[in-house]
């Protein structure tokens, strides 16, 4: 599999462009939509994605993974692990904040926005939108963000870095294709944030301290609070309040 990179100077959102390509073309698998600037970059939920022009990696990979709907969280797992490996190659130690964020020194360095299209119980295609802070040096304070440049005091070339990342991604994707799910599970847990200390979380009922016990087969977060009670959450049902 070789990814084909489609490069744009500016787009509203690479995920939106990927959706258009899937609607309009037959041959959409393994295409990567890359842009230097997004005017309507989308984050998780109703958030927008912050990035100045030409500073960061903004791209969407379209894959056709042939897995079942109930296995779809593996796409997120393999993507997070590829991002962790990419940072490792730069001697940056990163952690996965469930479900789709990557943290370095407790600050967000990248985010993933996955959009799946489903036929029956199979995944038809998956758009994996990745925003990775590369050369940005000033962020709005509320974002608690960092970048590779802030961590390494060095500038990086966008397209070279995209190609480096895609090589790592392809290797990871093959693991998923060969259904090495147990290995992915193990590695994902090892790189998860909050497994070694109690942190403060908020759900719709209360604020509590808890430690991450794992992720279940549906991709839900399993927390154990200070009374020993297990609490299981879907995305958006729980929020981490402190990053320490
Ligand atoms: C998050 O909120 O953490 C997810 C952020 C995802 C941002 C990326 S940037 C490239 C792709 N296109 C978008 O509009 N969003 C994703």
């Amino acid at each position: 599999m070789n990814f084909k990179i489609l490069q744009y100077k500016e787009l509203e959102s690479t995920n939106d462009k990927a959706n258009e390509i899937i609607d309009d073309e037959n041959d959409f698998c393994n295409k990567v939509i890359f842009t230097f600037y997004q005017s309507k970059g989308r984050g998780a939920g109703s958030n927008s994605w912050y990035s100045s022009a030409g500073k960061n990696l903004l791209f969407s990979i379209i894959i056709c993974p042939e897995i079942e709907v109930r296995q779809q969280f593996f796409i997120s797992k393999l993507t997070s692990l590829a991002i962790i490996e990419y940072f490792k190659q730069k001697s940056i130690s990163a952690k996965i904040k469930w479900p789709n964020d990557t943290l370095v020194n407790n600050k967000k360095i990248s985010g993933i926005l996955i959009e799946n299209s489903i036929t029956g119980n199979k995944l038809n295609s998956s758009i994996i939108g990745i925003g990775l802070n590369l050369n940005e040096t000033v962020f709005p304070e509320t974002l608690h963000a960092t970048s590779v440049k802030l961590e390494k005091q060095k500038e990086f070339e966008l397209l070279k870095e995209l190609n480096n990342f895609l090589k790592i991604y392809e290797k990871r994707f093959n693991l998923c294709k060969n259904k090495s799910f147990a290995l992915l599970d193990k590695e994902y847990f090892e790189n998860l944030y909050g497994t070694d200390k109690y942190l403060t979380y908020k759900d719709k009922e209360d604020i509590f301290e808890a430690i991450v016990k794992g992720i279940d087969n549906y991709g839900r977060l399993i927390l154990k609070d200070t009374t020993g009670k297990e609490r299981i959450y879907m995305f958006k049902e729980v929020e981490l309040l402190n990053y320490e």
Side-chain angles (χ1 to χ4, degrees):
M1 169 181 64
N2 258 324
F3 290 116
K4 181 168 191 269
I5 301 173
L6 309 174
Q7 196 179 310
Y8 299 84
K9 193 163 170 265
E10 179 178 340
L11 288 173
E12 288 194 340
S13 149
T14 56
N15 268 42
D16 292 351
K17 188 72 190 175
N19 271 307
E20 264 173 52
I21 290 175
I22 291 175
D23 286 346
D24 298 348
E25 295 175 21
N26 293 324
D27 176 26
F28 51 77
C29 302
N30 304 326
K31 288 196 169 153
V32 176
I33 295 87
F34 170 86
T35 193
F36 291 95
Y37 179 68
Q38 293 184 132
S39 53
K40 283 191 193 157
R42 293 194 279 124
S46 55
N47 295 341
S48 57
W49 183 252
Y50 178 84
S51 174
S52 313
K55 294 261 183 199
N56 304 304
L57 290 185
L58 305 167
F59 62 103
S60 299
I61 309 172
I62 306 174
I63 57 170
C64 303
E66 289 177 19
I67 60 171
E68 290 178 19
V69 174
R70 64 184 171 86
Q71 297 168 319
Q72 62 182 299
F73 194 67
F74 280 100
I75 308 281
S76 166
K77 281 187 181 165
L78 87 94
T79 306
S80 295
L81 287 170
I83 292 174
I84 295 286
E85 192 172 333
Y86 169 81
F87 287 128
K88 213 179 203 168
Q89 288 190 356
K90 299 208 153 0
S91 307
I92 294 175
S93 164
K95 283 275 177 191
I96 302 164
K97 185 183 152 253
W98 176 88
N100 289 320
D101 295 350
T102 316
L103 304 179
V104 171
N105 293 326
N106 301 325
K107 291 187 182 144
K108 184 154 164 171
I109 196 161
S110 77
I112 311 167
L113 181 66
I114 298 178
E115 293 177 297
N116 291 327
S117 126
I118 288 158
T119 310
N121 66 348
K122 286 256 190 286
L123 238 64
N124 218 8
S125 63
S126 183
I127 298 171
I128 299 137
I130 301 176
L132 193 152
N133 300 334
L134 203 62
N135 294 323
E136 193 85 61
T137 50
V138 183
F139 292 96
E141 212 170 298
T142 49
L143 293 182
H144 304 291
T146 188
S147 67
V148 180
K149 184 169 179 191
L150 286 173
E151 299 300 319
K152 301 300 304 177
Q153 280 78 47
K154 218 173 112 186
E155 287 262 337
F156 291 84
E157 199 196 305
L158 267 62
L159 283 163
K160 193 167 155 224
E161 294 308 312
L162 174 68
N163 277 295
N164 282 348
F165 177 81
L166 291 175
K167 276 195 205 109
I168 297 171
Y169 196 84
E170 184 165 350
K171 198 182 77 192
R172 289 272 157 194
F173 184 52
N174 286 334
L175 271 185
C176 188
K177 275 208 286 205
N178 301 335
K179 310 267 190 294
S180 306
F181 291 145
L183 186 65
L184 275 168
D185 278 341
K186 181 172 168 284
E187 259 195 280
Y188 187 82
F189 184 75
E190 284 167 0
N191 288 285
L192 209 48
Y193 184 73
T195 55
D196 55 351
K197 57 191 167 218
Y198 282 84
L199 297 169
T200 311
Y201 293 85
K202 180 178 187 271
D203 67 11
K204 66 178 190 314
E205 263 131 40
D206 62 0
I207 293 177
F208 56 95
E209 307 273 300
I211 192 161
V212 174
K213 290 304 289 176
I215 307 295
D216 73 8
N217 288 339
Y218 304 100
R220 297 182 302 182
L221 180 70
I222 308 166
L223 295 178
K224 190 175 89 180
D225 68 20
T226 42
T227 69
K229 187 177 123 191
E230 269 196 8
R231 301 169 176 240
I232 302 180
Y233 297 98
M234 305 260 281
F235 185 39
K236 291 278 171 199
E237 287 180 349
V238 69
E239 185 192 345
L240 175 63
L241 292 183
N242 64 343
Y243 294 78
E244 279 162 22

